[in-house]
Amino acid sequence: MEIQSPALRELAEAVEAHGPGAVNDFWARAQRTGTPLVEPDADPAYRLVTFLWRDDPAAPATDVLALVHTVTDKDRHARDLAPHLMAKVPGTDVWAISHRLRADHRASYQFSVHRGSREEALRTDRRSWLGVLDGALPDPLAAGPALAARDGRNPSSVMELADAPAQQWVSRRESVPRGERFECVVDGRAVGVHLPAGHTADGGPYAVAVLLDGEMWGPVLDFGATLDNLHADGRIPPTVTLFVETMGRDRRMADLSCSEEFVDWLADVLLPWAARAYGATDDPARTVVAGQSAGGLTAAFAAFRRPERFGNALSQSGSFWWPDGTEFDGGSEWLTRQYATCEKLPVRFHVEVGLQEWMLLPQNRHLRNVLEARGYDVTYQEFNGGHDYACWRGGLADGLVGLLAPR
């Protein structure tokens, strides 16, 4: 193998000179510093990032596949995973692969460990790819905490390079008063509720945030800890947060595709219920609807259809290509065209998208251009990452601060 990492070259030389004891020293250092290895690049805007997996002597791997969000994805779509197979450093139990990445990159990652044939490891049809994801493992030596997953999958590890945007509110702080969280059913739909610390029934009206795909942000990612930190730091006012859960894949696709019925339910059923039960405001200027992917599209659509209820839209990696056509057939980017042609509405936006989201970046930039040309109050950000909760969890906090903080 061609070893790119200086640290791995040093390891190979030490093993050749001094024997296998150098391997234990290498792993001891990795345990202290955390992985992946991050080393300088000739260009200070980049880093050489080396992902590591330690072989199990009782069940040695025949191949290890590094699944690095945004890095592996492009070749997955090209049905070519061979470039992401890790190589074993001769004379060691170290599997490794290096990538040259910009110093502000953030991505979740896992490892798929194979003990069968290489042909099995390289199969790239859709069914086998989903199987690879189901069995993929986090990095046991990762420098930071793991990112939880749903549907019974293993958590992911998170790579955060030095210049990636700070996510100072993500981790739970023991010293911060915790809000109250519980599950409700509203008109047949599961909705998680997070109340700020100190909430009282007569203390409102409280600002309100509606988070789509609530089953991910609530019990899986514990976004309530972020809300508690934001409240404690005074970055957002005390806010009633509603985690609106999806009801299966098919229902999600229907609800989050510019559905008038779903948005009207949010406006006419959910928000009045929250006002009665928890003192949530009916002021659109203090109401945020937030979503990612198809949820990001829906957040912007909610502000378009019901601006008298949703005065703030927070869209992350929004699917503004919808409906799925070409840019020449008159059907794509429907919502962007509505904002371009209708009268200006009294709504504000926080829009963000990843630089590695090659399928979404042009459409999000187009929406930004249209909103700015029409005179909307819009904050637009591009982060160096992909379609990834590891990126969205920080951006969601930043967006709430920008839209809810007192002006």
Side-chain angles (χ1 to χ4, degrees):
M1 67 175 284
E2 179 184 354
I3 300 178
Q4 296 175 269
S5 162
L8 290 186
R9 287 199 297 268
E10 182 179 312
L11 169 63
E13 293 167 1
V15 169
E16 187 174 352
H18 306 293
V23 180
N24 291 331
D25 293 340
F26 172 83
W27 284 118
R29 288 194 301 272
Q31 178 126 25
R32 289 194 302 271
T33 61
T35 52
L37 293 177
V38 180
E39 297 173 283
D41 184 85
D43 183 341
Y46 285 80
R47 300 291 186 271
L48 183 66
V49 181
T50 301
F51 296 88
L52 303 171
W53 180 263
R54 190 171 194 176
D55 212 2
D56 181 355
T62 54
D63 278 297
V64 182
L65 184 65
L67 304 169
V68 184
H69 209 303
T70 69
V71 177
T72 310
D73 291 359
K74 293 181 181 181
D75 290 320
R76 172 172 67 90
H77 285 284
R79 297 185 179 274
D80 181 14
L81 294 178
H84 303 282
L85 285 172
M86 303 172 78
K88 203 169 185 182
V89 179
T92 77
D93 57 4
V94 179
W95 290 91
I97 189 170
S98 297
H99 294 290
R100 183 173 180 264
L101 302 175
R102 222 172 70 175
D104 58 350
H105 203 125
R106 175 181 277 115
S108 58
Y109 68 98
Q110 294 176 307
F111 300 105
S112 181
V113 181
H114 294 261
R115 297 180 174 89
S117 68
R118 170 157 292 201
E119 288 74 19
E120 181 182 355
L122 289 175
R123 280 187 307 157
T124 55
D125 60 274
R126 177 169 174 78
R127 181 174 300 174
S128 65
W129 171 251
L130 292 176
V132 164
L133 290 179
D134 287 341
L137 301 169
D139 183 349
L141 299 181
L147 182 72
R150 57 183 166 189
D151 301 327
R153 290 180 175 170
N154 293 318
S156 298
S157 301
V158 179
M159 174 206 70
E160 298 176 312
L161 298 186
D163 295 340
Q167 294 185 342
Q168 63 265 42
W169 297 297
V170 167
S171 300
R172 181 172 293 280
R173 305 175 193 164
E174 294 305 320
S175 61
V176 165
R178 298 187 183 183
E180 185 179 3
R181 175 181 163 75
F182 43 89
E183 301 291 334
C184 299
V185 176
V186 182
D187 192 30
R189 183 184 289 268
V191 177
V193 178
H194 180 276
L195 302 179
H199 176 277
T200 60
D202 58 355
Y206 292 92
V208 59
V210 177
L211 305 189
L212 306 178
D213 286 311
E215 71 277 13
M216 189 67 186
W217 289 111
V220 176
L221 293 177
D222 188 25
F223 193 71
T226 296
L227 293 168
D228 292 340
N229 294 338
L230 292 172
H231 293 145
D233 289 354
R235 301 307 300 268
I236 63 173
T239 300
V240 172
T241 304
L242 309 173
F243 299 84
V244 181
E245 299 191 10
T246 55
M247 300 177 67
R249 178 179 175 81
D250 291 342
R251 181 67 179 271
R252 180 182 187 275
M253 296 300 294
D255 286 344
L256 303 187
S257 298
C258 294
S259 167
E260 296 181 357
E261 180 182 3
F262 177 65
V263 167
D264 288 346
W265 181 86
L266 294 176
D268 298 331
V269 177
L270 181 66
L271 288 182
W273 170 82
R276 293 190 302 269
Y278 307 113
T281 186
D282 62 2
D283 180 0
R286 300 177 62 218
T287 303
V288 176
V289 56
Q292 300 73 37
S293 193
L297 170 74
T298 299
F301 176 67
F304 172 76
R305 176 164 175 80
R306 300 298 300 270
E308 84 286 359
R309 295 312 308 262
F310 298 105
N312 300 279
L314 199 168
S315 172
Q316 298 179 279
S317 306
S319 300
F320 294 111
W321 50 263
W322 185 90
D324 191 11
T326 73
E327 60 183 319
F328 304 111
D329 69 1
S332 293
E333 298 186 64
W334 175 85
L335 184 58
T336 300
R337 289 187 285 110
Q338 305 313 302
Y339 276 110
T341 57
C342 79
E343 64 180 32
K344 182 185 173 186
L345 302 172
V347 295
R348 301 166 60 212
F349 295 88
H350 177 97
V351 178
E352 67 172 31
V353 65
L355 289 170
Q356 308 300 324
E357 300 190 87
W358 57 96
M359 299 175 67
L360 293 175
L361 190 57
Q363 292 87 351
N364 276 265
R365 287 174 173 172
H366 187 201
L367 176 68
R368 171 203 59 191
N369 293 344
V370 165
L371 293 175
E372 290 180 346
R374 297 303 310 278
Y376 281 96
D377 184 342
V378 53
T379 299
Y380 178 81
Q381 296 177 351
E382 294 179 355
F383 55 89
N384 191 17
H387 216 66
D388 193 343
Y389 281 99
C391 300
W392 289 337
R393 60 184 179 178
L396 180 55
D398 292 340
L400 290 176
V401 170
L403 294 173
L404 285 177
R407 305 189 73 188

